[in-house]
Amino acid sequence: MPLPRFYKLDPEQRENLLGAARAEMLEHGYEGASFNRVIERAGISKGAMYYYFADKADLYRTVTEAIAEEAMAAFGELGPVSTAAEYWGGLEAMMQRALTWITAQPQLAEIGKSVYANQGGVLDALRARLLEGVSDVLKQGQDVGAIRTDFPLGLLAEAATGMMMGADRWFAEHFAEMPAEDVMRISYATYGLLRQLLEPPRAEP
Amino acid sequence: MPLPRFYKLDPEQRENLLGAARAEMLEHGYEGASFNRVIERAGISKGAMYYYFADKADLYRTVTEAIAEEAMAAFGELGPVSTAAEYWGGLEAMMQRALTWITAQPQLAEIGKSVYANQGGVLDALRARLLEGVSDVLKQGQDVGAIRTDFPLGLLAEAATGMMMGADRWFAEHFAEMPAEDVMRISYATYGLLRQLLEPPRAEP
DNA sequence: CCCACAGTTCGACCACTGGTCTAAACGCTA
DNA sequence: TAGCGTTTAGACCAGTGGTCGAACTGTGGG
């Protein structure tokens, strides 16, 4: 997080700094973003930047966390559910909201995905929080018998997230060359795939 | 791939160059590896290096492809199968071999995973080949009725790979603090999870 | 009034990165 | 030995993230 002084800065300047960093990341992606260019963009000196942020990672982390916050807000909450059917309905709606946000903000989503892909880097904490969010949702499902309990919760969360990321990658690569109705149909079916992965196993016949 | 001249180099020197690059990548990971250090390690001049490799990406790609080759060889083939039961047996053995290799070569595996995580970078071609391999194995399963056919093959491959990567991440984070028998049990159960994801859906009761 | 002092800003500078380019050394054939 | 393509060496380049001392600001006290 930024040094405490940063929060004593007038909001306009704060927005300016973070905005410059965000613009840079949108244009060049997380990896390609240049600290020096951010400084140039913000019209501030290097010394000043380092006066407010510990280092490059600090700045980027701050921006990325803000994006994650926006995403979370857009995805919304599951809300209270008391039956498995309600749960799956709520989850479907949530996934729908997520999908809408992702397609509306493809660049932001790209940054989000780089958080997920990142391993051992500065975004680890953020990644952990994301998976905690998923775990929480799954936990809710377990409480109403919608989600299987025969696996460690964290493992389920990782597996489910990984699966959805994989599916997302496939869609990103193919949805351009597909009729819209196929996209809809298959993406809905993929939700079914997720559900099948997470539901308690049916008894053997 | 390296410039053609590289293959006219005497094998010892070839091994030296690739070895230096590999050592550097093992020590610092794919992202952290420095081209200049590789040159230093190899005891060769920069001009010579650029004489044999187009650029940094070229060198790293070559090394990574070699590692992928080794991994593929270690995983082995599924072999001919004619029933679903045989298929799942063969796949289990294959996953077992993969797991063994990964735990024996954790650093190499780490590089392999960074290939998977990578998006839009120099490793894209390699990533595509990996998924093609997975697709081939799934295709074999479809032919004997072991793998569902109600999804595009590529999507299944991405989803399955993503799920396993997620699971792997969980194991990497938890297996240190777990009794070995739990690791075995859960990892075997995870294989069941994969199978459940990929098998044709059972008819509704 | 002005001086001291903390808080803030500036940009020159540093070590390092991947990449380019000239020039010399080498091996070979004529 | 002269000439020619191949190979090697390393100075050099722009760009990177990061450091640092000097300069500027505003404020409170003697």
Side-chain angles (χ1 to χ4, degrees), chain B residues 5 45-47 51-52:
Chain B
R5 342 176 155 102
S45 82
K46 190 170 274 203
Y51 186 68
Y52 293 113

Side-chain angles (χ1 to χ4, degrees), chain A residues 44-48 51-52:
Chain A
I44 202 181
S45 81
K46 189 168 275 201
Y51 186 68
Y52 293 113

